[in-house]
Amino acid sequence: MKTLPPSPAALAPTALIDSDHPAVIAFAREHAAGADDRERAVALTYAVRDGFRYDPYRIDLSVAGMRASSVLAQGYGWCVPKAALLAAAARAAGIPARVGYADVRNHLSTERLRRMVQTDLFVWHGYTDLWLDGRWVKATPAFNLSLCERFGLLPLDFDGRADSIYHPFDKAGNRHMEYVRQHGAFDDMPLDRIVADFEAHYPLWLRNAAEMNGASFDADVAKETQR
């Protein structure tokens, strides 16, 4: 199948991929270092991956909670807004970018999160599609390096040439991540579809958002990985 080149929308700001936000522009200027788009995309991917801690407990499905600049303001995010931030920063740096999604089976999570979701299927896992050297390349900036080290996961390296997607196994050879369904890539975050599927799949999680917001994902990870 022929790779379709990016449309003008892959460089345009939106309400959710707000590449025109002053903080996003400043972030891109600071971190998009390199001699070409590939090097700059790699630098941005690591800046988003490791500069903002992954936190699936504090999920706000409103437009304000899901937009790219919210990650910059909060200092944390989960896979969907972190992917949006990478896309926004790339666009701000002149690199065409899209947001992509897949349903995954995640075999590593905390007891609290498993109790709330009541499944190991996580719908609408987010990643970023970057247009580099004439083709789309996937980058997954969700899990920061320190979290990978605590969980015994292989960190997702990115060189701008090969897709960077979750490893099927962790460092010990235990099952980690399985891709179940691909939703594809979008020029803008399909928030209505994401919210509808979260309401259908995770009603307990959404009803107990206050409990989750008041808990510490990092503390739960530290407690469970010290056993």
Side-chain angles (χ1 to χ4, degrees), residues 62-104:
S62 69
V63 171
M66 295 290 279
R67 64 168 51 110
S69 59
S70 69
V71 180
L72 293 174
Q74 296 163 352
Y76 62 83
W78 52 294
C79 61
V80 174
K82 286 190 72 173
L85 174 58
L86 177 54
R91 291 181 184 184
I95 302 169
R98 310 183 299 194
V99 281
Y101 306 92
D103 298 343
V104 299

Short mmCIF file of all heavy atoms in Angstrom, two decimals, residues 62-104:
data_model
loop_
_atom_site.label_atom_id
_atom_site.label_comp_id
_atom_site.label_asym_id
_atom_site.label_seq_id
_atom_site.Cartn_x
_atom_site.Cartn_y
_atom_site.Cartn_z
N SER A 62 -12.37 15.81 29.65
CA SER A 62 -12.84 17.05 29.05
C SER A 62 -11.81 17.55 28.03
O SER A 62 -10.67 17.08 27.99
CB SER A 62 -13.03 18.12 30.12
OG SER A 62 -11.78 18.52 30.65
N VAL A 63 -12.23 18.49 27.20
CA VAL A 63 -11.30 19.07 26.24
C VAL A 63 -10.10 19.70 26.96
O VAL A 63 -8.94 19.50 26.57
CB VAL A 63 -12.01 20.12 25.36
CG1 VAL A 63 -11.01 20.89 24.50
CG2 VAL A 63 -13.06 19.44 24.47
N ALA A 64 -10.37 20.42 28.03
CA ALA A 64 -9.28 21.05 28.78
C ALA A 64 -8.34 20.02 29.37
O ALA A 64 -7.12 20.25 29.44
CB ALA A 64 -9.86 21.93 29.89
N GLY A 65 -8.87 18.90 29.81
CA GLY A 65 -8.03 17.87 30.42
C GLY A 65 -7.25 17.04 29.42
O GLY A 65 -6.23 16.45 29.78
N MET A 66 -7.70 17.00 28.17
CA MET A 66 -7.09 16.11 27.19
C MET A 66 -6.16 16.82 26.22
O MET A 66 -5.39 16.17 25.51
CB MET A 66 -8.20 15.41 26.39
CG MET A 66 -9.05 14.47 27.22
SD MET A 66 -8.17 13.00 27.75
CE MET A 66 -8.29 12.02 26.26
N ARG A 67 -6.20 18.14 26.18
CA ARG A 67 -5.39 18.83 25.18
C ARG A 67 -3.91 18.73 25.51
O ARG A 67 -3.50 18.53 26.67
CB ARG A 67 -5.82 20.28 25.04
CG ARG A 67 -5.64 21.13 26.26
CD ARG A 67 -5.83 22.62 25.93
NE ARG A 67 -7.07 22.89 25.21
CZ ARG A 67 -8.11 23.53 25.73
NH1 ARG A 67 -8.07 23.93 27.01
NH2 ARG A 67 -9.17 23.77 25.00
N ALA A 68 -3.10 18.88 24.49
CA ALA A 68 -1.65 18.71 24.62
C ALA A 68 -1.04 19.61 25.68
O ALA A 68 -0.23 19.18 26.51
CB ALA A 68 -0.99 18.96 23.27
N SER A 69 -1.43 20.88 25.70
CA SER A 69 -0.81 21.83 26.63
C SER A 69 -1.11 21.51 28.08
O SER A 69 -0.39 21.98 28.97
CB SER A 69 -1.26 23.26 26.29
OG SER A 69 -2.67 23.37 26.37
N SER A 70 -2.15 20.70 28.35
CA SER A 70 -2.45 20.35 29.74
C SER A 70 -1.32 19.52 30.35
O SER A 70 -1.07 19.61 31.55
CB SER A 70 -3.78 19.59 29.83
OG SER A 70 -3.67 18.29 29.26
N VAL A 71 -0.65 18.72 29.54
CA VAL A 71 0.48 17.93 30.04
C VAL A 71 1.61 18.86 30.49
O VAL A 71 2.22 18.65 31.55
CB VAL A 71 0.98 16.94 28.97
CG1 VAL A 71 2.16 16.13 29.50
CG2 VAL A 71 -0.15 16.02 28.52
N LEU A 72 1.87 19.88 29.71
CA LEU A 72 2.89 20.86 30.09
C LEU A 72 2.53 21.56 31.39
O LEU A 72 3.39 21.79 32.25
CB LEU A 72 3.06 21.90 28.98
CG LEU A 72 3.63 21.40 27.66
CD1 LEU A 72 3.59 22.52 26.62
CD2 LEU A 72 5.06 20.90 27.83
N ALA A 73 1.27 21.91 31.56
CA ALA A 73 0.84 22.64 32.75
C ALA A 73 0.88 21.76 33.99
O ALA A 73 1.19 22.24 35.09
CB ALA A 73 -0.58 23.18 32.54
N GLN A 74 0.58 20.47 33.83
CA GLN A 74 0.45 19.58 34.98
C GLN A 74 1.76 18.85 35.33
O GLN A 74 1.96 18.47 36.47
CB GLN A 74 -0.64 18.54 34.70
CG GLN A 74 -2.03 19.15 34.54
CD GLN A 74 -3.01 18.22 33.86
OE1 GLN A 74 -2.63 17.15 33.37
NE2 GLN A 74 -4.27 18.59 33.84
N GLY A 75 2.59 18.61 34.35
CA GLY A 75 3.81 17.86 34.59
C GLY A 75 3.63 16.36 34.53
O GLY A 75 4.55 15.61 34.81
N TYR A 76 2.46 15.91 34.13
CA TYR A 76 2.18 14.48 34.01
C TYR A 76 1.10 14.28 32.97
O TYR A 76 0.46 15.23 32.50
CB TYR A 76 1.73 13.88 35.34
CG TYR A 76 0.44 14.48 35.88
CD1 TYR A 76 -0.80 14.04 35.46
CD2 TYR A 76 0.49 15.50 36.83
CE1 TYR A 76 -1.97 14.60 35.95
CE2 TYR A 76 -0.68 16.06 37.33
CZ TYR A 76 -1.90 15.60 36.89
OH TYR A 76 -3.06 16.16 37.36
N GLY A 77 0.87 13.03 32.60
CA GLY A 77 -0.18 12.70 31.65
C GLY A 77 -0.23 11.20 31.45
O GLY A 77 0.63 10.47 31.92
N TRP A 78 -1.26 10.75 30.75
CA TRP A 78 -1.32 9.33 30.37
C TRP A 78 -1.13 9.25 28.87
O TRP A 78 -0.81 10.25 28.23
CB TRP A 78 -2.61 8.69 30.86
CG TRP A 78 -3.89 9.39 30.52
CD1 TRP A 78 -4.31 10.61 30.96
CD2 TRP A 78 -4.93 8.91 29.65
NE1 TRP A 78 -5.55 10.92 30.43
CE2 TRP A 78 -5.95 9.89 29.63
CE3 TRP A 78 -5.11 7.75 28.92
CZ2 TRP A 78 -7.12 9.74 28.88
CZ3 TRP A 78 -6.28 7.59 28.18
CH2 TRP A 78 -7.27 8.58 28.17
N CYS A 79 -1.27 8.06 28.31
CA CYS A 79 -0.79 7.87 26.94
C CYS A 79 -1.46 8.80 25.92
O CYS A 79 -0.78 9.29 25.01
CB CYS A 79 -0.96 6.42 26.52
SG CYS A 79 -2.66 5.82 26.52
N VAL A 80 -2.77 9.05 26.05
CA VAL A 80 -3.46 9.84 25.04
C VAL A 80 -3.00 11.30 25.02
O VAL A 80 -2.61 11.82 23.98
CB VAL A 80 -4.99 9.72 25.20
CG1 VAL A 80 -5.71 10.67 24.24
CG2 VAL A 80 -5.43 8.27 24.94
N PRO A 81 -3.04 12.03 26.14
CA PRO A 81 -2.55 13.41 26.08
C PRO A 81 -1.04 13.53 25.86
O PRO A 81 -0.58 14.51 25.27
CB PRO A 81 -2.99 14.01 27.42
CG PRO A 81 -3.28 12.87 28.31
CD PRO A 81 -3.70 11.74 27.43
N LYS A 82 -0.25 12.54 26.32
CA LYS A 82 1.18 12.61 26.05
C LYS A 82 1.45 12.46 24.55
O LYS A 82 2.32 13.13 23.99
CB LYS A 82 1.95 11.56 26.85
CG LYS A 82 2.06 11.91 28.34
CD LYS A 82 3.02 10.98 29.09
CE LYS A 82 4.46 11.23 28.75
NZ LYS A 82 5.39 10.43 29.61
N ALA A 83 0.69 11.58 23.88
CA ALA A 83 0.83 11.46 22.43
C ALA A 83 0.40 12.74 21.74
O ALA A 83 1.00 13.16 20.74
CB ALA A 83 0.01 10.28 21.93
N ALA A 84 -0.65 13.37 22.27
CA ALA A 84 -1.09 14.65 21.70
C ALA A 84 -0.03 15.72 21.87
O ALA A 84 0.18 16.56 20.97
CB ALA A 84 -2.40 15.09 22.36
N LEU A 85 0.66 15.72 23.02
CA LEU A 85 1.73 16.70 23.23
C LEU A 85 2.86 16.49 22.24
O LEU A 85 3.38 17.47 21.67
CB LEU A 85 2.26 16.61 24.66
CG LEU A 85 3.48 17.50 24.96
CD1 LEU A 85 3.18 18.97 24.67
CD2 LEU A 85 3.94 17.32 26.41
N LEU A 86 3.25 15.25 22.01
CA LEU A 86 4.32 15.01 21.04
C LEU A 86 3.89 15.47 19.65
O LEU A 86 4.68 16.10 18.93
CB LEU A 86 4.70 13.53 21.02
CG LEU A 86 5.77 13.13 20.00
CD1 LEU A 86 7.03 13.95 20.14
CD2 LEU A 86 6.08 11.62 20.14
N ALA A 87 2.65 15.19 19.27
CA ALA A 87 2.15 15.64 17.97
C ALA A 87 2.14 17.17 17.89
O ALA A 87 2.54 17.75 16.87
CB ALA A 87 0.76 15.09 17.72
N ALA A 88 1.69 17.82 18.95
CA ALA A 88 1.63 19.28 18.95
C ALA A 88 3.02 19.90 18.88
O ALA A 88 3.25 20.86 18.14
CB ALA A 88 0.89 19.77 20.20
N ALA A 89 3.96 19.36 19.66
CA ALA A 89 5.32 19.89 19.65
C ALA A 89 5.97 19.68 18.29
O ALA A 89 6.70 20.55 17.79
CB ALA A 89 6.14 19.22 20.75
N ALA A 90 5.73 18.51 17.68
CA ALA A 90 6.27 18.26 16.35
C ALA A 90 5.72 19.26 15.34
O ALA A 90 6.47 19.84 14.54
CB ALA A 90 5.96 16.83 15.92
N ARG A 91 4.41 19.49 15.38
CA ARG A 91 3.81 20.47 14.46
C ARG A 91 4.39 21.86 14.69
O ARG A 91 4.66 22.60 13.73
CB ARG A 91 2.29 20.49 14.63
CG ARG A 91 1.61 19.23 14.14
CD ARG A 91 0.09 19.29 14.31
NE ARG A 91 -0.54 18.04 13.92
CZ ARG A 91 -1.84 17.81 13.89
NH1 ARG A 91 -2.69 18.79 14.24
NH2 ARG A 91 -2.33 16.64 13.52
N ALA A 92 4.58 22.21 15.96
CA ALA A 92 5.16 23.51 16.27
C ALA A 92 6.58 23.64 15.72
O ALA A 92 7.04 24.74 15.42
CB ALA A 92 5.15 23.76 17.78
N ALA A 93 7.25 22.49 15.58
CA ALA A 93 8.61 22.48 15.04
C ALA A 93 8.63 22.28 13.53
O ALA A 93 9.70 22.15 12.93
CB ALA A 93 9.42 21.37 15.72
N GLY A 94 7.45 22.25 12.91
CA GLY A 94 7.38 22.11 11.46
C GLY A 94 7.41 20.69 10.96
O GLY A 94 7.59 20.45 9.76
N ILE A 95 7.22 19.70 11.85
CA ILE A 95 7.23 18.29 11.47
C ILE A 95 5.78 17.80 11.42
O ILE A 95 5.09 17.83 12.45
CB ILE A 95 8.03 17.45 12.49
CG1 ILE A 95 9.46 17.96 12.60
CG2 ILE A 95 8.00 15.97 12.11
CD1 ILE A 95 10.24 17.36 13.77
N PRO A 96 5.27 17.34 10.29
CA PRO A 96 3.90 16.83 10.24
C PRO A 96 3.70 15.67 11.22
O PRO A 96 4.57 14.81 11.37
CB PRO A 96 3.74 16.36 8.79
CG PRO A 96 4.75 17.16 8.03
CD PRO A 96 5.92 17.32 8.96
N ALA A 97 2.57 15.68 11.91
CA ALA A 97 2.32 14.67 12.93
C ALA A 97 0.83 14.38 13.03
O ALA A 97 -0.01 15.25 12.79
CB ALA A 97 2.85 15.15 14.28
N ARG A 98 0.52 13.14 13.39
CA ARG A 98 -0.85 12.70 13.64
C ARG A 98 -0.88 11.97 14.97
O ARG A 98 0.16 11.66 15.55
CB ARG A 98 -1.33 11.74 12.54
CG ARG A 98 -1.11 12.23 11.12
CD ARG A 98 -1.66 11.28 10.08
NE ARG A 98 -1.04 9.96 10.12
CZ ARG A 98 -1.16 9.05 9.16
NH1 ARG A 98 -1.88 9.31 8.07
NH2 ARG A 98 -0.56 7.87 9.27
N VAL A 99 -2.07 11.68 15.45
CA VAL A 99 -2.23 10.86 16.65
C VAL A 99 -2.87 9.53 16.24
O VAL A 99 -3.81 9.51 15.44
CB VAL A 99 -3.07 11.57 17.73
CG1 VAL A 99 -2.23 12.58 18.47
CG2 VAL A 99 -4.30 12.24 17.14
N GLY A 100 -2.32 8.43 16.77
CA GLY A 100 -2.81 7.10 16.45
C GLY A 100 -3.24 6.37 17.70
O GLY A 100 -2.82 6.71 18.82
N TYR A 101 -4.08 5.33 17.51
CA TYR A 101 -4.66 4.64 18.66
C TYR A 101 -4.80 3.15 18.37
O TYR A 101 -5.04 2.73 17.23
CB TYR A 101 -6.04 5.23 19.00
CG TYR A 101 -6.00 6.72 19.21
CD1 TYR A 101 -6.24 7.59 18.16
CD2 TYR A 101 -5.67 7.25 20.46
CE1 TYR A 101 -6.20 8.96 18.33
CE2 TYR A 101 -5.61 8.62 20.63
CZ TYR A 101 -5.88 9.47 19.58
OH TYR A 101 -5.81 10.82 19.75
N ALA A 102 -4.69 2.38 19.45
CA ALA A 102 -4.91 0.94 19.37
C ALA A 102 -5.47 0.46 20.71
O ALA A 102 -5.19 1.05 21.76
CB ALA A 102 -3.60 0.22 19.06
N ASP A 103 -6.25 -0.61 20.67
CA ASP A 103 -6.66 -1.29 21.89
C ASP A 103 -5.58 -2.30 22.24
O ASP A 103 -5.11 -3.04 21.37
CB ASP A 103 -8.00 -2.02 21.70
CG ASP A 103 -9.14 -1.07 21.37
OD1 ASP A 103 -8.99 0.15 21.59
OD2 ASP A 103 -10.17 -1.56 20.88
N VAL A 104 -5.16 -2.33 23.50
CA VAL A 104 -4.07 -3.21 23.91
C VAL A 104 -4.45 -4.00 25.17
O VAL A 104 -5.27 -3.55 25.97
CB VAL A 104 -2.77 -2.41 24.19
CG1 VAL A 104 -2.30 -1.69 22.94
CG2 VAL A 104 -2.96 -1.43 25.34
#
